[in-house]
Amino acid sequence: MNNNVAIELKNISKSFGGNMANKNVNLTVNRGEILSILGENGSGKTTLMNMISGIYFPDEGQIFINGEEVAIRSPKDAFKYGIGMIHQHFKLIDVFSATENIILGLNEKGRYNLKAAAMRVKEISDKYGFDIDPMKKIHEMSVSEKQTVEIIKVLYRGADILILDEPTAVLTPQETQKLFAIIRRMKEDGKSIIIITHKLHEVLSLSDKVAVLRKGEYVGTVETAKTNESELTEMMVGKKISLNIERSEPENCEHRLVVNGLNCVNREGKKILNDISFVARSGEILGIAGIAGSGQRELLEAIAGLQHINDGEILYNNPKTHSCDNLRDKTPLQIRDLGVRLSFVPEDRLGMGLVGNMDIVDNMMLRSYHKGKSLFLERKQPKDLALHIIEDLEVVTPNENTPVRRLSGGNIQKILVGREIASAPTVLMAAYPVRGLDIGASYTIYNLLNSQKKKGVAVIFVGEDLDVLIELCDRILVIGSGSITGVVDARNTTKEEIGLLMTKTVSNEGKESE
Amino acid sequence: MLAFLISAIRLGMTFLFGSTGETITEKSGHLNLGIPGVMCVGASCGCYAEYLYLSQMREMRITASPFLAILIPIVATLAGGALMGLIFSFLTVSLRANQNVTGLALTTFGIGVSDYMISETGPIYSKGSRYFTEPLPFADELGIVGEILFSHGVLIYLSIIIALLTSFVLNHTRIGLNLRSVGEDPAAADAAGINVSLYRYSATCIGSAIAGLSGLSFIMDYLNGNWEYCIDAIGWLCIALVIFTVWKPNLAIIGSILFGALYIVSSYITGISFAAKELFEMLPYVVTIIVLVFTSARDSKNSQPPKSLGLPYFREER
């Protein structure tokens, strides 16, 4: 046996209830090697990693570390074997400082000494080129700083095998490049790195080997150098799919939504939207790009009537009556009835718009119950709608009466977006509709947006992945610290140009991006 | 005025046990609304132990040792309180019951149990009260300062020591860091290798044991050994005190004296009606509501309740 092997999994299986989350997975990672794990949503990547890090325990199979069989029953065991996991949703405590979070749960010898620990944190961050203030509180940090804390946390514990669960999902292109440089430095240091991601170009540029999972089953491992995007996609989805998003020329453009000098102030008195003016046209997809928390959410909420507006106006040209309304004077319900629809997918994917404990039919009803005529609830129509969405968007669910919370992230998002589209909107605002989604599901959503565009809907799409924004949208609005920093034509722009615009005001006004 | 101040301190330090205990519990993410019941059970266990000890001594015609007459009830109270904490943790952690429902049930249960136990004892336990109210020996020599600071019974000083110790452990030790993390975000604590269940169990048991002393102190010290059926009212005040002092046991030392003063101020103002008196007794709760309004409006991250307060944690829940 090759004694350079850091971790090896043999025939690992795990099921939740009747659901097979992982079936006969085999993996090998050597020292100083980067392995990517690729798979669609619900293919069991995170479950598999949770078994290595001790959150779940496998039903069957063996795990070998440095050639010895081990049983990892808790996160503590995982640390013991030098395994460190950087979770997709950060497991950090907001009111603690970076150092406190890093030393949390450790049983170091000697007195409890925060200063000494902070020194060690500094040492590690210097070694790998991180940029972090050890005494800064987590709630004051940006997303990428939080991620840095997570990585230092596992390094501080002496981890040799690092697992990163979708680390780039929340980063800007520049931050991603910085992270990759650090990962490469850790690889040179002899660490083994397992990285979970959806983004194919990242897989290809970073990893040495790629392991592919499909619906819980292990498809195979290939050398990155000997493969390409379309082969990987085929392994992942099981069929060939086109990787190009079709983009038709916008037709019959009318000014549907005109926003003039919009200003909003949040509850703490901080300005979140600063003099925003733009036009959303029918039959066109308007993209909004920006660092997370730059005011995208507030902008969409202001249009939907959920955010208090301090100054400015939002004019809506009604295609049916040809009258012009100012949305600022209307209630959220009135705005919705005009056909302005918002589907927002927050970071936790469930926070807005859907009720986790209710089933799919009930969630459909949330939008329509007030239209009922009789005293009792009418379940027939929502049920038809639910079945329709499940079939059309290929939602994977046991039946329409399953609580939404039990579905995987991608399926939840399909239901959310599907419900809004079903109401025949005139303005469709989709914020992060593909957040955390795999390729197959993402393309379903892109196609949905495109078909809405063809129907003459004014689509506003807030996205994270700049590649997608550039391919899908007609125009892209870049927002930084609550101000518009530029509007670019998506057909003639580059990722770098948008990336620069995203950080434009941030660098001028100091670090106020969060 | 002096009598008022001394009384306020005596009553306040009674609250201090309860609020320190509840703070420890809440720092682990457990909202134990059973504290009034815990205090009743703690007090009755202490009284019952005192009754057993004193009547045993009397039968054997031996003079009771003051040291044992204090120690035995304290130990019994700690045990009774811890047992209540154990019941709470077992129901909420192991059986996954709702914390609020469990807490309220424990309150009702505790009041019932304590009434039963007290009806079983003779009045003899109240003779033990004089051991608890014995002032420190050098109190007389120090004039007014001595009277205010050193004329109290032993439990008063114990409460301050426990509060300071708790404050130190929470903020300056690894155990405290781990405990706070469990209350803030158990999933993060778990991922960091902390045994969430163990911390929740221990914090709740230790917290309840300390809260039990609150009942004992109220009966044996403040009421001079007379059992009164209003310990549970004191229990709710302790929970309010935790909020009032924004989960900081060292602040609670001052806060508890203020609460004590507010609670008894009506007895020291002459010429007010019975109804007005009741209004005065509401003051501590009014103050707590005001503090709640301020801390939530300010949205200061440092004076918020533990983030996962009252929430259950199960690792494999999706």
Side-chain angles (χ1 to χ4, degrees):
Chain A
M1 193 173 149
N2 184 355
N3 55 9
N4 199 24
V5 174
I7 181 165
E8 185 175 10
L9 307 186
K10 273 191 182 160
N11 295 319
I12 295 283
S13 298
K14 171 85 184 172
S15 60
F16 292 102
N19 265 343
M20 207 69 181
N22 278 138
K23 199 173 159 193
N24 294 332
V25 179
N26 293 288
L27 282 183
T28 320
V29 190
N30 292 333
R31 287 194 196 87
E33 191 175 62
I34 302 173
L35 171 84
S36 292
I37 298 195
L38 202 60
E40 300 218 292
N41 260 82
S43 63
K45 300 171 307 245
T46 305
T47 308
L48 180 66
M49 290 307 111
N50 278 338
M51 279 191 278
I52 302 179
S53 63
I55 307 265
Y56 302 148
F57 192 75
D59 298 340
E60 271 171 55
Q62 298 155 294
I63 299 176
F64 295 89
I65 293 190
N66 299 329
E68 269 173 57
E69 185 174 353
V70 294
I72 306 169
R73 295 191 174 273
S74 70
K76 218 171 196 160
D77 284 354
F79 295 142
K80 201 170 74 195
Y81 298 120
I83 299 167
M85 172 130 177
I86 292 102
H87 293 268
Q88 185 183 1
H89 306 291
F90 302 136
K91 307 233 168 181
L92 295 172
I93 291 163
D94 268 358
V95 293
F96 285 11
S97 69
T99 309
E100 281 177 317
N101 266 294
I102 288 165
I103 62 168
L104 187 64
L106 284 178
N107 275 318
E108 288 175 310
K109 288 202 183 82
R111 260 188 58 227
Y112 171 76
N113 188 337
L114 264 184
K115 277 212 186 91
M119 291 290 291
R120 275 210 58 199
V121 170
K122 194 90 201 133
E123 242 169 67
I124 293 172
S125 62
D126 288 346
K127 181 175 171 193
Y128 293 105
F130 295 107
D131 180 20
I132 192 101
D133 171 7
M135 299 317 274
K136 198 168 174 186
K137 292 264 165 75
I138 300 297
H139 63 84
E140 296 164 346
M141 289 187 174
S142 70
V143 180
S144 105
E145 280 178 295
K146 287 180 193 172
Q147 187 177 56
T148 308
V149 175
E150 282 280 13
I151 298 174
I152 297 179
K153 189 161 120 188
V154 298
L155 291 172
Y156 189 95
R157 282 146 211 261
D160 292 318
I161 302 163
L162 282 89
I163 305 165
L164 293 99
D165 192 357
E166 291 185 32
T168 58
V170 289
L171 302 182
T172 62
Q174 284 85 352
E175 286 168 338
T176 305
Q177 286 313 316
K178 227 161 107 186
L179 175 71
F180 283 2
I182 285 166
I183 292 179
R184 289 193 187 102
R185 216 165 301 158
M186 293 195 289
K187 171 188 165 180
E188 281 161 24
D189 201 37
K191 311 262 184 215
S192 311
I193 289 135
I194 304 177
I195 176 167
I196 300 176
T197 178
H198 295 307
K199 298 179 186 169
L200 284 173
H201 61 270
E202 289 178 357
V203 172
L204 293 170
S205 74
L206 186 70
S207 60
D208 301 308
K209 288 195 299 193
V210 191
V212 184
L213 298 180
R214 189 199 310 151
K215 291 183 179 141
E217 280 184 65
Y218 172 68
V219 182
T221 305
V222 287
E223 305 249 337
T224 313
K226 292 178 189 155
T227 188
N228 55 45
E229 286 200 18
S230 63
E231 189 192 355
L232 287 175
T233 321
E234 204 181 323
M235 282 175 80
M236 227 166 99
V237 190
K239 58 186 178 199
K240 273 202 163 103
I241 55 169
S242 154
L243 280 180
N244 295 318
I245 306 171
E246 54 158 339
R247 173 164 54 190
S248 54
E249 287 297 320
E251 286 168 18
N252 305 327
C253 286
E254 289 170 41
H255 287 199
R256 179 69 68 235
L257 209 57
V258 183
V259 176
N260 273 333
L262 196 64
N263 281 295
C264 288
V265 171
N266 71 0
R267 281 204 305 170
E268 280 102 54
K270 215 175 120 192
K271 208 157 200 188
I272 32 176
L273 289 182
N274 188 11
D275 208 11
I276 300 269
S277 302
F278 68 91
V279 178
R281 291 194 289 239
S282 59
E284 177 193 75
I285 299 183
L286 175 69
I288 297 183
I291 298 169
S294 301
Q296 301 95 321
R297 178 185 189 143
E298 288 79 6
L299 176 59
L300 298 196
E301 286 185 351
I303 296 172
L306 301 171
Q307 167 81 38
H308 178 77
I309 298 167
N310 292 69
D311 195 20
E313 57 181 6
I314 302 166
L315 299 174
Y316 171 75
N317 294 314
N318 197 325
K320 285 177 201 130
T321 60
H322 298 287
S323 61
C324 180
D325 299 302
N326 189 350
L327 295 185
R328 199 183 156 183
D329 311 324
K330 300 206 178 293
T331 65
L333 206 62
Q334 286 172 327
I335 295 175
R336 269 214 352 245
D337 287 343
L338 285 174
V340 179
R341 297 287 169 146
L342 170 64
S343 79
F344 186 94
V345 180
E347 266 149 359
D348 61 6
R349 292 185 185 171
L350 254 181
M352 232 174 119
L354 295 177
V355 180
N357 281 330
M358 293 189 351
D359 66 24
I360 302 173
V361 178
D362 285 345
N363 270 299
M364 293 300 139
M365 248 153 69
L366 284 179
R367 277 282 187 266
S368 62
Y369 69 90
H370 57 272
K371 287 192 193 119
K373 300 248 170 6
S374 84
L375 183 60
F376 301 103
L377 288 172
E378 165 79 62
R379 270 179 78 91
K380 177 85 178 63
Q381 267 184 342
K383 190 179 170 183
D384 290 345
L385 178 59
L387 291 173
H388 183 70
I389 290 177
I390 291 171
E391 202 191 303
D392 277 9
L393 306 187
E394 296 169 4
V395 177
V396 182
T397 169
N399 55 48
E400 75 279 6
N401 297 322
T402 309
V404 171
R405 173 175 57 88
R406 295 256 185 86
L407 306 181
S408 80
N411 290 314
I412 294 175
Q413 275 151 265
K414 284 182 194 166
I415 291 170
L416 182 64
V417 178
R419 184 182 66 186
E420 300 309 323
I421 289 174
S423 60
T426 51
V427 177
L428 179 67
M429 295 184 281
Y432 312 111
V434 297
R435 181 170 249 159
L437 288 196
D438 54 74
I439 296 187
S442 297
Y443 277 75
T444 316
I445 303 249
Y446 300 147
N447 288 338
L448 280 174
L449 295 178
N450 261 327
S451 66
Q452 292 299 307
K453 167 183 166 182
K454 277 186 197 141
K455 281 186 194 162
V457 175
V459 180
I460 300 178
F461 171 74
V462 180
E464 288 166 321
D465 191 334
L466 293 184
D467 291 307
V468 170
L469 274 168
I470 290 171
E471 273 186 68
L472 177 72
C473 301
D474 299 300
R475 287 182 304 144
I476 299 173
L477 194 77
V478 189
I479 192 168
S481 296
S483 307
I484 292 181
T485 51
V487 181
V488 293
D489 179 1
R491 287 177 176 79
N492 319 303
T493 188
T494 59
K495 235 163 63 169
E496 286 68 31
E497 186 189 1
I498 297 176
L500 277 177
L501 285 171
M502 275 162 75
T503 47
K504 200 165 131 192
T505 35
V506 180
S507 53
N508 287 345
E509 295 178 3
K511 283 183 180 173
E512 282 190 337
S513 57
E514 265 282 317
Chain B
M1 185 60 205
L2 194 62
F4 169 64
L5 198 58
I6 291 173
S7 232
I9 293 176
R10 270 176 86 185
L11 183 59
M13 294 304 126
T14 295
F15 296 158
L16 188 53
F17 281 119
S19 87
T20 309
E22 179 69 2
T23 304
I24 297 174
T25 309
E26 291 195 7
K27 282 286 180 189
S28 78
H30 269 168
L31 180 62
N32 188 355
L33 292 180
I35 284 294
V38 171
M39 282 165 53
C40 287
V41 168
S44 59
C45 284
C47 292
Y48 199 78
E50 185 79 323
Y51 153 74
L52 287 179
Y53 174 67
L54 290 182
S55 50
Q56 189 71 26
M57 289 298 108
R58 181 182 279 184
E59 245 168 57
M60 292 161 69
R61 297 184 187 286
I62 309 173
T63 333
S65 133
F67 178 68
L68 284 179
I70 289 176
L71 188 68
I72 290 175
I74 288 182
V75 171
T77 302
L78 288 175
L83 186 66
M84 291 289 277
L86 195 63
I87 297 173
F88 182 86
S89 316
F90 179 69
L91 287 170
T92 56
V93 178
S94 302
L95 299 184
R96 306 181 172 190
N98 179 296
Q99 292 187 20
N100 296 347
V101 177
T102 309
L104 293 173
L106 272 193
T107 291
T108 325
F109 169 73
I111 294 172
V113 167
S114 65
D115 287 356
Y116 168 74
M117 282 176 76
I118 284 303
S119 65
E120 289 288 292
T121 67
I124 192 170
Y125 72 85
S126 59
K127 296 229 165 28
S129 165
R130 63 191 164 95
Y131 303 113
F132 283 95
T133 50
E134 184 73 18
L136 295 190
F138 46 84
D140 293 343
E141 299 155 24
L142 293 168
I144 288 190
V145 181
E147 204 168 337
I148 294 176
L149 295 181
F150 302 113
S151 69
H152 309 289
V154 61
L155 282 178
I156 304 292
Y157 304 104
L158 187 63
S159 72
I160 295 177
I161 293 170
I162 290 179
L164 290 175
L165 196 68
T166 305
S167 183
F168 178 81
V169 170
L170 281 178
N171 296 318
H172 298 284
T173 66
R174 214 160 269 141
I175 290 175
L177 184 73
N178 293 354
L179 177 63
R180 283 186 287 139
S181 74
V182 169
E184 288 290 336
D185 188 346
D190 194 14
I194 295 169
N195 188 336
V196 174
S197 301
L198 180 71
Y199 267 89
R200 287 199 155 175
Y201 257 97
S202 338
T204 309
C205 290
I206 293 171
S208 299
I210 293 170
L213 287 178
S214 188
L216 184 74
S217 164
F218 184 62
I219 298 295
M220 284 303 208
D221 189 319
Y222 187 69
L223 295 176
N224 297 316
N226 297 308
W227 184 269
E228 253 190 58
Y229 297 97
C230 65
I231 304 181
D232 51 315
I234 301 295
W236 299 119
L237 266 180
C238 291
I239 295 177
L241 186 58
V242 174
I243 302 165
F244 177 71
T245 55
V246 292
W247 293 266
K248 292 191 172 78
N250 48 355
L251 262 185
I253 298 175
I254 312 291
S256 60
I257 297 174
L258 180 71
F259 264 40
L262 288 174
Y263 197 66
I264 58 170
V265 70
S266 56
S267 321
Y268 288 83
I269 300 173
T270 44
I272 52 168
S273 67
F274 182 74
K277 224 173 154 164
E278 292 290 313
L279 282 177
F280 268 103
E281 284 189 7
M282 288 173 4
L283 279 178
Y285 300 103
V286 175
V287 176
T288 303
I289 291 172
I290 293 171
V291 168
L292 263 184
V293 168
F294 268 99
T295 51
S296 13
R298 259 180 52 224
D299 201 28
S300 147
K301 284 265 183 191
N302 295 321
S303 55
Q304 293 299 310
K307 216 187 201 160
S308 304
L309 184 61
L311 302 178
Y313 175 66
F314 316 119
R315 187 187 286 166
E316 295 213 2
E317 177 99 325
R318 297 234 282 178

